Amino acid sequence: MTDTQSHKNNYKTPVGAPFRPASPVRSLADIHRLEETPLAQALTVRSTYEIFRNAGHAFGDKTALTFLRTGNPADAPIRWSYAELLARLHQTANMLHTLGVGPGDAVAVLLPGCLEYHLALWGGEAAGIVQPLNPLLTDEKLVALMTAARAKVLIAYGSDSESGMWSKAMRLRGQVPTLTTVLRVAPHDEAPGKAGALPEGVAEFDVLRAAQPDDRLVSGRDIAPADIAAYFHTGGTTGAPKLARHSHGAQVFTAWASVQVAGMNENGISINGYPLFHVAGVLPASLASLSAGVEVIIPTPSLLRNKEVLANYWKLVAKYRPTSLSAVPTILAALANVPLDGADISSITYCRTGAAVLSPELAARFERLFGLHVHESLGMTEMAGISTITPPGVDGPAGCVGFRLPYMQMRVVALDENGNASDREVAPGEQGMVLFKSPNVFSGFVDPADNAKAFTADGWLATGDLGWIDSQERLNLTGRSKDLIIRSGHNIDPKTIEDALGAHPAVQLCAAVGAPDAYAGELPVIFATLVPGASATEEELLAFTAARVDEAPARPKWVSVIETMPMTNVGKIYKPELRAMAARQVVAATVAEVCAELGVAEGARPVVKTDGESLVRVLIDGAAAGPLAAALQERLQKALEPLPFKTRIAAQ
């Protein structure tokens, strides 16, 4: 029996072709041309499993995945072909099926960047529902996420060299009631048997996988487009867990539409430095690429957090000849400090960013240094990773995130008095909240209570992104509605301030937030990190910014230069921590003022520190303050009470 026949017997849809771009997209007219064919005819693939079956059949021995052991360009990589990837994917799905995983069961994944992550993702989706986890979350949050998903199997990295993952997995074992099995993924090049005896309910991933058939799904499962493929947790690193459900159809549409608009094909090579627990790394950077025959490079288990990878990035480009560069703006800012040193980067024909709005200065610096225009895209968990794309050959200004995808509807509406989406659509060029309806909109959250704010009353996805539509019908982003600084009822766009300070040659990264104020509610302030080796005073930076912000209420009250910018795992600037830092500075200034009025000596003054992201503590040393302690506490209580931020005064 041939390979194709065995697949036909196992899976109702015959082997089809990989995704290929129909024609270059350079304008909205090209999007309209694609839409002339009904979607049901244009896209017949029904599941992510079918994508890999088609790609494995079409590309065979062509390299699918290249794993870099280190950031040293001289070290030999590990490579898997498309045929090998499909065979291992079959084995993984069959192993999970044998362990009792069915279409409604979740497979949690706690892995760094590695080849096996792709087996966990796509084998997990072929057997059940995959649940990628952020390894930097606390045990408590991971337990809550896995419990909410009713995870049956956990696939975890068998070493503590990456974020202490194995110890974390062993701690999670007894805390998730539905968990039956932990599968240990051996680090690359680990000698057989090195792990030793494993506890009951824990097994070696590769040992169990290797015992399974590699040419078919033994379950005989026929996956429908509406079947749930994955649970992705949303938000940064805080808050109650929210699990977004992705259908197979949504993920397949993301891959197909990305291939059409970005023009991906089998001649492409990309370095995927995005974490694989995040939609950007999983869907547009992996599934879309692999659906079209692109070679995807995984730059070490630590990905772009690996300092050696960043330091050698251009040398790695010269060796592996990627055709595209994709990274979040903060990574682009770091790469702007890495000299080419003669490296040939001419293979890169498309440079792309997303996840956060690109500053005009960084865009200009990148183009000046490397001759690469940065194309922006918009993606989000609730839209299976992609919403708009600026395609190759279309150069837009910083903040322009490109055209909507084919078969998608997009509109921009005014904000209501609470900063939510209203039902009034704004004119082109006017800012508002961006709304979408699309085949890749998610299937809602696991907890239905979380859906209330996700959609408008008439069924549009409320993104929370602020933007406007230009004359070419491209979307331009300005920021997030939750990041607006509200000063006495006046909405201030932080991007206005960030663009102003970002133009200073000494500034590497900057972010504006609202600092609590008793009278205005919030006042704009801005934090900045400096380019290595550069120097500038906070007073100089404040004057520079104020001169470039036309609107007086938007001029920041102060600039704070900090050593490092707080980041999420994906490389976005983490504003909740900056807001807490701003609140601490405001409270500390108030404490200093009260102490000066009472004559409290410098060494006897209270300690001010943040407690999480929503509380500032003021700790009074009663012994040091002596007879002034009671008066100090009373005066501080009165002075801090009007601030719109939670503070707590206590004895140290």
Side-chain angles (χ1 to χ4, degrees), residues 107-357:
V107 177
V109 184
L110 195 66
L111 293 173
C114 59
L115 291 161
E116 290 81 3
Y117 213 133
H118 286 276
L119 302 184
L121 285 170
W122 315 119
E125 291 193 359
I129 300 167
V130 75
Q131 183 189 22
L133 296 169
N134 178 348
L136 295 189
L137 293 178
T138 63
D139 289 10
E140 180 185 17
K141 287 193 175 117
L142 290 170
V143 167
L145 286 165
M146 291 172 67
T147 302
R150 301 183 57 78
K152 184 173 275 190
V153 172
L154 172 63
I155 300 175
Y157 197 56
S159 165
D160 279 347
S161 63
E162 293 290 328
S163 308
M165 287 189 203
W166 186 242
S167 294
K168 191 165 279 191
M170 292 297 93
R171 293 194 302 271
L172 296 175
R173 269 179 74 216
Q175 299 183 62
V176 181
T178 52
L179 195 65
T180 61
T181 309
V182 176
L183 296 174
R184 178 184 181 271
V185 171
H188 63 277
D189 299 329
E190 179 183 278
K194 186 181 177 185
L198 296 175
E200 187 179 346
V202 181
E204 289 287 354
F205 178 91
D206 273 336
V207 172
L208 293 192
R209 176 183 63 76
Q212 294 294 328
D214 67 1
D215 62 339
R216 66 194 185 282
L217 293 181
V218 296
S219 67
R221 183 184 177 194
D222 182 20
I223 305 169
D227 287 355
I228 300 303
Y231 295 146
F232 279 89
H233 55 80
T234 62
T237 53
T238 63
K242 284 205 300 186
L243 285 176
R245 301 180 303 153
H246 284 184
S247 68
H248 276 269
Q251 292 194 347
V252 167
F253 178 83
T254 283
W256 176 85
S258 296
V259 168
Q260 301 308 313
V261 181
M264 298 177 181
N265 60 49
E266 62 267 34
N267 298 317
I269 301 172
S270 70
I271 299 176
N272 182 10
Y274 295 102
L276 287 172
F277 61 80
H278 189 270
V279 286
V282 174
L283 298 168
S286 289
L287 185 66
S289 297
L290 294 166
S291 74
V294 173
E295 176 187 341
V296 177
I297 298 169
I298 305 169
T300 79
S302 302
L303 305 167
L304 294 181
R305 289 187 296 114
N306 185 324
K307 291 180 180 176
E308 186 183 36
V309 169
L310 274 181
N312 289 328
Y313 192 88
W314 303 121
K315 294 175 185 174
L316 292 168
V317 167
K319 176 175 180 178
Y320 290 99
R321 310 300 291 158
T323 55
S324 65
L325 185 165
S326 182
V328 295
T330 51
I331 292 294
L332 295 182
L335 289 176
N337 297 321
V338 179
L340 282 177
D341 280 343
D344 177 5
I345 65 169
S346 60
S347 63
I348 298 175
T349 57
Y350 184 40
C351 179
R352 184 164 144 185
T353 194
V357 179

Side-chain angles (χ1 to χ4, degrees), residues 582-602:
R584 187 189 64 76
Q585 290 201 34
V586 169
V587 171
T590 305
V591 168
E593 194 177 308
V594 168
C595 287
E597 289 171 1
L598 289 174
V600 178
E602 192 77 36

